[in-house]
């Protein structure tokens, strides 16, 4: 295949996008049966990636499509696969979809079965961990499209329990994830076993070099389509960040949950342990939270997803990997409890909200040290993440009161309080009405129990005393440095407003700078070993003066 078209891949992105050309599914060249199935599924109009991919996929072209999670990639290849069958005279499966995980295999297979409902096209998920015998029995019953994880599919091929000799179309779904999981060799083996007279389609959220290489060696003049992730985060998603020391994050999270009162919330953590910790603490504090990560059993994860979808759980705490590819419904809030690894991770996470024109809120927690990382993400993702201030205790109290007021409305309207009316009258003969109500409320809820977050209270703004730590810097008057230079470089490098910097004392060869305790780490990180006035400066916490 010609090299040129490959080097042009990224440039040619979007060039084929013409959102107006296929506004409805019935404008594609697809059968009525499929149209009916889609309408049963509740699909009204194609998503942007479906609009651009489907017409070319229907013509049998090889396709590389890049779009973030949740953009409808499954139907972008599923519909063309279903439409293929009547054109072929086959007995065995005519199409293979490879996916990175068993969850995804099950999900994609289920979705294809729905799309193929009226045309009678069936798909079978094949994945590791399930018994071979069971799978062989299902295979014998016959089906059209196999959706498999690479390892298990190879096993079946080697055992000759599954024939791919009539396969005419292959889809690599979540190709980048398969790459991350080390499936590349298996994929190459599988592709080598499938007749070359075939259509190959590759779907991926990102396009690392290795994926392009696969395309180069296994595809035939692929057309490249993309919905650029950064273009998809439109103004619909409000993005903010809070600078919060690690130890205060959980309290910041609950405070925000209290004030925002989100309906469905995803909380992303970096590690499985963190997921357990955060979900555990939220549960302890009475928040309806569930957790998913790779260590849980399949049935636990299914259960969590079911409860989250049904609204039984408001909060789902997850690792990136566990959430990847899962069909999670639109959520109102995404929390990056720990900062995502890279800009693409950021986009994937926050793309879970603000779907289908709805608005969404993405909240990122950064420790002072991570401030720079956040700015890099912001630049690379071509987005704006605004700094926000945590709601004050008063705002939390107000929010809780509003919530209570709503409950009062409900209870009184529905007459749920009737059985207490007589008793209330007895109390009212003895006390003032406001005392009775307040006493009853105080027995119910401890509204004063709003968590303290010392280090993140807006100390300066309310004129409270801030705790400072003194930093020792190996630069001084002899280096022709001025107080202003130090302020400038600290605020620029560490991203701290100048007003937050305390006293600065300049000596000949060194100086002392006071920094709010919670920001000190960030300043040391940013300034230590940096160059000021042409000199390398080292910074550390100053040794405490001896108490007199
Ligand atoms: P991706 O593979 O890009 O992550 P999916 O194919 O899993 O996305 O689709 C995400 C969700 O959107 C699924 O619930 C799917 O049923 C739904 N969906 C896909 N296409 C449409 C459409 N055209 N109209 C409405 N919902 C759709
Ligand atoms: Mg998908």
């Amino acid at each position: 295949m010609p090299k040129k078209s490959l080097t042009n891949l990224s440039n040619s992105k979007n060039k084929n996008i013409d959102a107006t050309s296929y506004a409805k599914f019935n404008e594609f060249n697809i059968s009525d049966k499929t149209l009916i199935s889609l309408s049963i599924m509740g699909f009204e109009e194609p998503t942007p990636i479906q609009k651009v991919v489907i017409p070319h996929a229907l013509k049998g072209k090889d396709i590389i499509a890049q779009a973030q999670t949740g953009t409808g990639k499954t139907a972008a290849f599923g519909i063309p696969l279903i439409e293929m069958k009547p054109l072929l005279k086959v007995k065995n499966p005519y199409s293979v979809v490879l996916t990175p995980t068993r969850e995804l295999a099950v999900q994609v297979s289920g979705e294809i079965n729905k799309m193929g409902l009226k045309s009678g096209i069936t798909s079978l998920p094949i994945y590791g961990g399930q018994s071979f015998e069971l799978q062989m029995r299902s295979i014998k019953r016959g089906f059209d499209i196999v959706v498999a994880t690479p390892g298990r599919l190879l096993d079946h091929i080697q055992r000759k329990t599954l024939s791919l000799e009539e396969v005419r179309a292959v889809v690599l779904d979540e190709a980048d994830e398969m790459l991350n999981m080390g499936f590349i060799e298996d994929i190459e083996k599988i592709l080598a076993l499938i007749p070359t007279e075939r259509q190959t389609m590759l779907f991926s959220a990102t396009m690392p070099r290795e994926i392009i290489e696969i395309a180069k060696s296994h595809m035939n003049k692929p057309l490249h389509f993309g919905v650029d992730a950064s273009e998809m985060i439109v103004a619909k998603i409000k993005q903010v960040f809070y600078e919060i020391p690690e130890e205060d994050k959980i309290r910041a999270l609950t405070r925000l949950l209290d004030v925002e009162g989100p309906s469905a919330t995803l909380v992303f953590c970096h590690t499985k342990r963190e997921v357990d910790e955060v979900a555990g603490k939220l549960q302890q504090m009475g928040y309806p939270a569930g957790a998913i990560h790779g260590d849980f059993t399949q049935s636990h994860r299914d259960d969590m997803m079911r409860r989250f979808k049904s609204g039984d759980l408001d909060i789902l705490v997850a690792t990136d990997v566990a959430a990847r590819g899962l069909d999670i419904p639109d959520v109102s809030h995404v929390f990056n409890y720990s900062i995502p690894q890279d800009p693409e991770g950021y986009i994937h996470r926050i793309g879970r909200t603000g779907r289908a024109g709805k608005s969404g809120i993405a909240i990122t927690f950064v420790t002072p040290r991570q401030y720079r990382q956040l700015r890099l993400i912001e630049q690379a993702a071509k987005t704006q993440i605004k700094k926000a201030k945590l709601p004050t205790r008063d705002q939390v109290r107000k929010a809780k009161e509003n919530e209570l007021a709503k409950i009062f409305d409900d209870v009184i309207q529905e007459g749920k309080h009737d059985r207490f009316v007589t008793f209330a009258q007895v109390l009212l003969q003895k006390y003032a009405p406001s005392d009775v109500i307040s006493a009853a409320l105080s027995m119910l809820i401890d509204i004063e129990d709003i968590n303290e977050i010392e280090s993140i209270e807006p100390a300066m703004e309310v004129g409270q005393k801030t705790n400072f730590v003194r930093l020792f810097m190996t630069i001084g008057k002899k280096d022709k440095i001025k107080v202003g230079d130090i302020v400038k470089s600290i605020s620029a490098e560490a991203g701290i407003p100048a007003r937050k910097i305390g006293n600065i004392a300049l000596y000949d060869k060194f100086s002392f700078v006071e920094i709010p305790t919670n920001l000190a780490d960030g300043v040391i990180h940013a300034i230590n070993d940096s160059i000021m006035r042409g000199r390398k400066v080292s910074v550390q916490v100053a040794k405490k003066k001896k108490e007199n």
Side-chain angles (χ1 to χ4, degrees), residues 121-163:
I121 309 285
T122 56
S123 121
L124 181 70
I126 293 280
Y127 47 87
Q130 201 183 37
S131 94
F132 264 101
E133 286 62 40
L134 196 78
Q135 288 179 348
M136 273 150 58
R137 252 178 283 147
S138 312
I139 291 170
K140 280 205 187 107
R141 253 178 260 135
F143 64 98
D144 302 300
I145 300 175
V146 56
V147 184
T149 50
R152 182 53 73 98
L153 184 65
L154 270 179
D155 283 348
H156 277 285
I157 298 171
Q158 269 147 19
R159 293 180 185 210
K160 301 203 188 320
T161 43
L162 185 60
S163 162

Side-chain angles (χ1 to χ4, degrees), residues 248-265:
D248 282 332
K249 280 184 177 177
I250 193 78
R251 284 173 288 181
L253 175 62
T254 54
R255 190 177 275 199
L256 286 165
L257 288 171
D258 288 344
V259 169
E260 304 253 334
S263 47
T265 303

Side-chain angles (χ1 to χ4, degrees), residues 25 42-47 50 68-75 107 111 327:
F25 282 110
F43 288 14
E44 284 172 353
E45 59 173 81
T47 65
Q50 290 163 5
Q68 74 179 103
T69 304
T71 48
K73 295 193 286 297
T74 317
Q107 187 177 304
E111 188 108 342
D327 179 18

Side-chain angles (χ1 to χ4, degrees), residues 22-299:
Y22 299 93
K24 291 260 154 53
F25 282 110
N26 62 15
E27 289 169 33
F28 294 130
N29 185 18
I30 59 180
S31 64
D32 287 348
K33 285 177 178 164
T34 301
L35 286 175
I36 295 169
S37 307
L38 291 171
S39 84
I40 294 174
M41 292 171 80
F43 288 14
E44 284 172 353
E45 59 173 81
T47 65
I49 194 76
Q50 290 163 5
K51 282 178 192 173
V52 294
V53 164
I54 292 175
H56 298 278
L58 285 170
K59 289 184 193 143
K61 303 272 190 230
D62 279 9
I63 282 176
I64 299 178
Q66 178 179 4
Q68 74 179 103
T69 304
T71 48
K73 295 193 286 297
T74 317
F77 61 78
I79 294 170
L81 288 186
I82 285 162
E83 293 298 300
M84 243 179 119
K85 171 91 189 263
L87 310 173
L88 309 165
K89 286 198 181 77
V90 284
K91 285 197 204 99
N92 290 306
Y94 67 88
S95 151
V96 174
V97 180
L98 295 175
T99 70
T101 63
R102 54 184 175 179
E103 279 100 334
L104 215 53
V106 170
Q107 187 177 304
V108 168
S109 173
E111 188 108 342
I112 290 177
N113 278 327
K114 286 188 208 158
M115 291 186 277
L117 182 73
K118 290 292 167 189
S119 43
I121 309 285
T122 56
S123 121
L124 181 70
I126 293 280
Y127 47 87
Q130 201 183 37
S131 94
F132 264 101
E133 286 62 40
L134 196 78
Q135 288 179 348
M136 273 150 58
R137 252 178 283 147
S138 312
I139 291 170
K140 280 205 187 107
R141 253 178 260 135
F143 64 98
D144 302 300
I145 300 175
V146 56
V147 184
T149 50
R152 182 53 73 98
L153 184 65
L154 270 179
D155 283 348
H156 277 285
I157 298 171
Q158 269 147 19
R159 293 180 185 210
K160 301 203 188 320
T161 43
L162 185 60
S163 162
L164 298 187
E165 60 198 37
E166 289 190 298
V167 165
R168 305 293 288 276
V170 185
V171 176
L172 310 181
D173 192 20
E174 306 255 2
D176 52 352
E177 203 58 19
M178 292 201 280
L179 176 80
N180 289 341
M181 295 175 70
F183 285 141
I184 281 301
E185 280 180 20
D186 286 353
I187 291 171
E188 302 218 301
K189 275 187 211 155
I190 293 168
L191 289 177
L193 289 167
I194 293 174
T196 46
E197 282 267 310
R198 61 157 196 252
Q199 179 178 17
T200 310
M201 294 186 263
L202 185 154
F203 288 76
S204 193
T206 60
M207 282 295 157
R209 189 73 229 159
E210 293 90 332
I211 306 257
I212 309 271
E213 292 297 328
I214 292 197
K216 201 188 271 188
S217 43
H218 297 281
M219 297 177 85
N220 177 26
K221 297 196 193 96
L223 297 172
H224 189 268
F225 302 100
V227 178
D228 195 339
S230 58
E231 283 168 30
M232 305 229 11
I233 323 179
V234 272
K236 295 277 180 216
I237 304 177
K238 187 181 152 207
Q239 302 168 63
V240 296
F241 77 93
Y242 296 92
E243 203 174 291
I244 297 169
E246 199 59 49
E247 66 274 15
D248 282 332
K249 280 184 177 177
I250 193 78
R251 284 173 288 181
L253 175 62
T254 54
R255 190 177 275 199
L256 286 165
L257 288 171
D258 288 344
V259 169
E260 304 253 334
S263 47
T265 303
L266 263 176
V267 178
F268 282 103
C269 294
H270 190 48
T271 61
K272 298 175 199 170
R273 232 186 85 197
E274 197 174 51
V275 167
D276 289 336
E277 265 174 34
V278 172
K281 282 183 188 153
L282 288 175
Q283 286 158 3
Q284 270 172 22
M285 290 188 267
Y287 293 88
I292 49 168
H293 60 59
D295 283 354
F296 290 124
T297 61
Q298 180 66 28
S299 68

Side-chain angles (χ1 to χ4, degrees), residues 461-516:
E461 282 80 359
V462 295
Q464 286 166 338
K465 197 174 167 294
T466 308
N467 288 325
F468 283 101
V469 60
R470 248 161 43 112
L471 301 184
F472 173 79
M473 297 175 62
T474 56
I475 193 164
K477 284 188 209 159
K478 279 216 167 132
D479 306 297
K480 298 205 169 65
I481 195 135
K482 299 203 188 72
V483 168
D485 297 328
I486 295 184
V487 171
K488 244 189 262 161
S489 90
I490 290 179
S491 63
E493 298 293 325
I496 292 177
R499 66 187 156 78
K500 289 211 166 176
I501 300 170
N503 286 333
I504 296 180
L506 283 186
Y507 295 87
D508 277 354
K509 291 187 181 164
F510 54 86
S511 38
F512 289 107
V513 185
E514 287 180 349
I515 298 290

